Structures are given as structure tokens and as C-alpha cells.
Amino acid sequence: MQISVRKPTEAEIAAFSMKPTWGCGVSEFNWHYDDREQCILTEGEVTVEYNGTSVSFGAGDYVVFPKGLFCVWKVTKPVQKHYEFG
């Protein structure tokens, strides 16, 4: 179970621009994914720790979180993202 990070395609950017948004300020919190999440960050920087590893990503990245993931979000710059579950 791992987090995938890459740059989105133009088609993904266009599709996600219509998706719901979520944001938060600098913070640290535990999170569990009940379903798979895909998102594109439009602002911010985050490091997510899980299973003894960490992944960092930020504005302009396309990120996929697997269903069932338990992790810790460490938001180092305020985040805004478009997201989709399922």
C-alpha cells in the first residue's frame, strides 16, 4: 500500500477543476482513508508519513491515496486541493 505522486495531465487538470475543494492551514493530524482518494494540489506543501516511510508533495502534484491507508499529514504550507473519492 503506497501513495502515488506525479504531475497531472492537461486532461486531469481540466477534469479536476470541476471537483470539490478542501484546504487547511499549517498543521499535523492523523488520517485514515476509508476509500481511495485522488487529488490535485493547487497550493501548499505536505509530507505524509505511513508504514515507516514518508512522501512529500505540493502545488501542481497529482496524488493518489489507497483505500485503507492510515497516515499522518504534516502540512508545512497551507493546502488547497481538488479531490475525488472512489
Side-chain angles (χ1 to χ4, degrees):
M1 184 178 305
Q2 67 182 33
I3 298 170
S4 169
V5 179
R6 64 175 173 79
K7 295 301 179 191
T9 65
E10 290 298 321
E12 288 167 334
I13 292 169
F16 271 79
S17 70
M18 305 302 290
K19 305 288 183 193
T21 60
W22 176 85
C24 78
V26 173
S27 57
E28 182 175 323
F29 56 91
N30 296 328
W31 195 253
H32 174 252
Y33 288 89
D34 293 326
D35 205 347
R36 178 178 184 255
E37 179 188 343
Q38 303 171 80
C39 64
I40 295 178
L41 273 71
T42 56
E43 297 177 23
E45 290 181 3
V46 179
T47 297
V48 173
E49 296 179 350
Y50 67 102
N51 298 335
T53 190
S54 66
V55 175
S56 296
F57 48 89
D61 287 333
Y62 175 90
V63 187
V64 179
F65 300 94
K67 180 179 179 177
L69 179 72
F70 286 92
C71 61
V72 177
W73 272 62
K74 295 185 176 184
V75 180
T76 54
K77 289 187 180 177
V79 168
Q80 287 290 320
K81 67 178 182 175
H82 289 277
Y83 68 93
E84 175 180 66
F85 285 102

